[in-house]
Amino acid sequence: MVDLFAGTWKMISSENFDDYMKALGVGFATRQMGNMAKPSLIISVDQGMISMKSQSTFKTTEVKFKLNEEFDETTADDRKTKTVFTLENGKLVQKQNWDGKSTTIERSLEDGKLIAKCIMNDVVAVRTYGKED
């Protein structure tokens, strides 16, 4: 199932991401860069190990993980989180916990696009990616 997410995805659109970063507590300068970046998302699966790399002109981050196993993640905005990925109803769900806070990123496939819903409290950002050949 997770194999369906594998590939290189280029960002097409991003809605409400500034408000989402604010909700996370991201500072102004980092938000400015985050809003300008149009990252590519490269997802690969190798023997149950999943790699998700986000590449942009500002920063490249990569996480490697197994489903349902918590790991330590340092996010692009330098939060140190306890993160777990699960598959729920065909969605790849990433939950990050840090300093008593938590955020969820739900990635789903719709009409050949990868939709990433970033949820923090009542703030929702939607980032849409198209698959590169």
Side-chain angles (χ1 to χ4, degrees):
M1 170 65 214
V2 81
D3 293 341
L4 297 174
F5 289 89
T8 299
W9 301 88
K10 185 78 185 138
M11 181 181 284
I12 306 170
S13 67
S14 179
E15 299 161 38
N16 212 30
F17 196 60
D18 191 59
D19 285 341
Y20 173 71
M21 287 189 292
K22 269 187 209 164
L24 292 177
V26 176
F28 180 74
T30 305
R31 286 203 326 269
Q32 293 294 96
M33 288 194 298
N35 283 322
M36 286 170 25
K38 294 271 185 266
S40 287
L41 198 57
I42 301 152
I43 301 173
S44 59
V45 183
D46 183 27
Q47 297 175 342
M49 199 68 166
I50 301 162
S51 162
M52 191 178 297
K53 184 187 272 189
S54 176
Q55 282 183 324
S56 75
T57 48
F58 295 112
K59 195 164 208 173
T60 295
T61 59
E62 183 173 17
V63 291
K64 291 185 184 218
F65 57 91
K66 287 189 168 167
L67 289 176
N68 309 311
E69 287 185 17
E70 187 177 77
F71 64 97
D72 294 314
E73 179 183 6
T74 300
T75 65
D77 56 354
D78 284 330
R79 284 173 293 123
K80 307 268 188 270
T81 67
K82 293 280 187 196
T83 299
V84 66
F85 280 84
T86 55
L87 267 179
E88 297 172 30
N89 303 320
K91 294 180 182 172
L92 186 59
V93 179
Q94 177 181 8
K95 289 193 170 95
Q96 298 173 330
N97 293 294
W98 77 103
D99 300 340
K101 298 179 203 161
S102 115
T103 185
T104 303
I105 302 167
E106 295 179 353
R107 294 176 177 89
S108 60
L109 299 172
E110 296 172 30
D111 301 326
K113 294 184 175 64
L114 189 151
I115 312 291
K117 261 172 89 171
C118 310
I119 305 157
M120 176 78 186
N121 302 325
D122 57 354
V123 177
V124 179
V126 177
R127 309 188 99 191
T128 304
Y129 298 81
K131 194 156 198 180
E132 291 192 345
D133 299 328

